[in-house]
Amino acid sequence: MFSLNPMYDYTDESEYGRGEASERNALYQEFERAGVGISVMKPFAGGQLLDAEQSPFGMALTRVQCIQYALDRPGVLTVLPGVRGMADLEDILAYVDATPAERDYAALAEMAPQSREARCVYCNHCQPCPAGLKIGTINKYYDLACLGDEMAAEHYRNLELHAGDCVGCGHCDSRCPFGVEQSARMAQIAEYFGM
Ligand code: SF4
Ligand code: SF4
């Protein structure tokens, strides 16, 4: 058991977490491939991520951003924040009605130096895709399929639109705060799946 949140995934291992973000991501992918669901605890790092003064990033995230970050990790089925009373519960349930802009945690790219590895974190900040592609979902299924997850590959094939439908407009490239050249990646994904 360990916590899942941006503080653990993107800070020095000796301070808060174990291993690097890429290793932790590989573990989440392994869970998804094996059909093991992850229940996330400590999504706000005990509240530290909600307070700019306490956060190791020097900036605050919102509860909604932290919940979305956790839900976007491979294998994650549910997020279980600690609740001290009705006010906490109402703040957490605000996630249900939050807009895509409120759920967007792309600010993490500025806050967390390791996120500059140009790895897609499935955040969907680069949306909308003019061709209608679900960019984060396509990338998540591709990463999992590369690890031998046949179910993820099947999910990919069942999508309405595939990487092969990318028109190479470059909108996602210009929008990605994590430095991913997504249009090139779409070509790579299309080649992998043949669609
Ligand atoms: S390409 Fe960038 S903005 Fe788009 S989902 Fe991946 S990490 Fe997020
Ligand atoms: S380059 Fe492809 S995936 Fe990216 S926004 Fe344009 S059509 Fe969508």
Side-chain angles (χ1 to χ4, degrees), residues 126-133 135 138 163 165-173 182-184 186:
C126 52
Q127 297 281 21
C129 163
L133 272 64
I135 297 174
I138 286 173
D165 296 303
C166 169
V167 296
C169 69
H171 175 260
C172 50
D173 299 332
Q182 188 55 247
S183 55
M186 282 295 173

Side-chain angles (χ1 to χ4, degrees), residues 51-134:
D51 182 340
E53 288 189 5
Q54 289 189 48
S55 169
F57 303 127
M59 291 171 67
L61 289 168
T62 65
R63 285 179 174 79
V64 168
Q65 287 173 314
C66 292
I67 291 171
Q68 190 63 56
Y69 174 83
L71 287 173
D72 284 346
R73 296 316 95 207
V76 170
L77 294 183
T78 187
V79 179
L80 302 164
V83 174
R84 292 164 300 185
M86 281 304 292
D88 276 0
L89 191 57
E90 281 166 11
D91 281 346
I92 289 162
L93 289 176
Y95 172 82
V96 176
D97 296 319
T99 63
E102 288 167 334
R103 295 180 183 200
D104 189 335
Y105 52 86
L108 185 58
E110 293 301 314
M111 297 158 68
Q114 283 190 45
S115 64
R116 295 197 179 281
E117 289 170 359
R119 176 173 59 84
C120 181
V121 297
Y122 325 126
C123 68
N124 283 317
H125 182 76
C126 52
Q127 297 281 21
C129 163
L133 272 64
K134 294 181 175 175

Side-chain angles (χ1 to χ4, degrees):
M1 190 188 322
F2 60 87
S3 306
L4 193 162
N5 58 53
M7 191 173 94
Y8 281 79
D9 283 352
Y10 290 103
T11 50
D12 185 287
E13 65 173 278
S14 60
E15 266 192 279
Y16 301 105
R18 287 186 186 175
E20 296 188 353
S22 58
E23 294 171 306
R24 297 170 71 84
N25 193 56
L27 182 63
Y28 308 150
Q29 290 172 326
E30 179 61 23
F31 284 141
E32 173 132 354
R33 193 193 61 74
V36 176
I38 301 173
S39 300
V40 173
M41 301 174 74
K42 300 277 186 192
F44 317 137
Q48 277 178 271
L49 284 168
L50 310 177
D51 182 340
E53 288 189 5
Q54 289 189 48
S55 169
F57 303 127
M59 291 171 67
L61 289 168
T62 65
R63 285 179 174 79
V64 168
Q65 287 173 314
C66 292
I67 291 171
Q68 190 63 56
Y69 174 83
L71 287 173
D72 284 346
R73 296 316 95 207
V76 170
L77 294 183
T78 187
V79 179
L80 302 164
V83 174
R84 292 164 300 185
M86 281 304 292
D88 276 0
L89 191 57
E90 281 166 11
D91 281 346
I92 289 162
L93 289 176
Y95 172 82
V96 176
D97 296 319
T99 63
E102 288 167 334
R103 295 180 183 200
D104 189 335
Y105 52 86
L108 185 58
E110 293 301 314
M111 297 158 68
Q114 283 190 45
S115 64
R116 295 197 179 281
E117 289 170 359
R119 176 173 59 84
C120 181
V121 297
Y122 325 126
C123 68
N124 283 317
H125 182 76
C126 52
Q127 297 281 21
C129 163
L133 272 64
K134 294 181 175 175
I135 297 174
T137 304
I138 286 173
N139 277 267
K140 190 186 286 189
Y141 288 158
Y142 170 64
D143 286 342
L144 290 165
C146 288
L147 294 172
D149 187 336
E150 251 315 304
M151 194 178 293
E154 193 57 30
H155 286 329
Y156 175 86
R157 293 187 194 101
N158 289 335
L159 288 172
E160 193 180 336
L161 294 168
H162 303 92
D165 296 303
C166 169
V167 296
C169 69
H171 175 260
C172 50
D173 299 332
S174 62
R175 285 275 296 159
C176 178
F178 296 94
V180 178
E181 288 183 29
Q182 188 55 247
S183 55
R185 195 166 149 88
M186 282 295 173
Q188 185 182 328
I189 296 171
E191 188 180 344
Y192 178 87
F193 286 108
M195 62 197 300

